[in-house]
Amino acid sequence: MRKIPETITDPAVIAKLTAISQQVEAKMKQVNLLRDQMKKKDMSPALLADLKKVSTEIDTLDQEWKALAES
């Protein structure tokens, strides 16, 4: 899990950052499962689309994290 900056003391912000970190961890596990599937099979268009979708979701969560952490 990502380390929450010590300068953030607001419990609501800490809770949101913790939730985002947990979502990112879950998405990373999903990416790893998709990569494992890709190793076992051909790189099907559906599998690549799923991987791109999850990657985009991770990027969105990362941007949300940065916005909260900087506020």
Side-chain angles (χ1 to χ4, degrees), residues 44-71:
S44 71
L47 210 51
L48 290 173
D50 285 348
L51 190 57
K52 184 175 181 175
K53 178 183 172 224
V54 173
S55 179
T56 301
E57 291 170 352
I58 291 171
D59 289 343
T60 301
L61 288 168
D62 189 49
Q63 290 172 3
E64 192 177 335
W65 167 280
K66 287 178 183 174
L68 274 172
E70 292 172 359
S71 63

Side-chain angles (χ1 to χ4, degrees), residues 14-40:
I14 291 171
K16 287 179 185 176
L17 291 174
T18 300
I20 291 170
S21 287
Q22 291 169 342
Q23 289 175 346
V24 168
E25 283 183 27
K27 297 289 180 189
M28 290 304 294
K29 288 178 184 178
Q30 193 175 357
V31 165
N32 289 335
L33 289 173
L34 288 168
R35 286 185 180 156
D36 287 345
Q37 287 179 356
M38 290 174 75
K39 290 176 187 175
K40 295 175 186 173

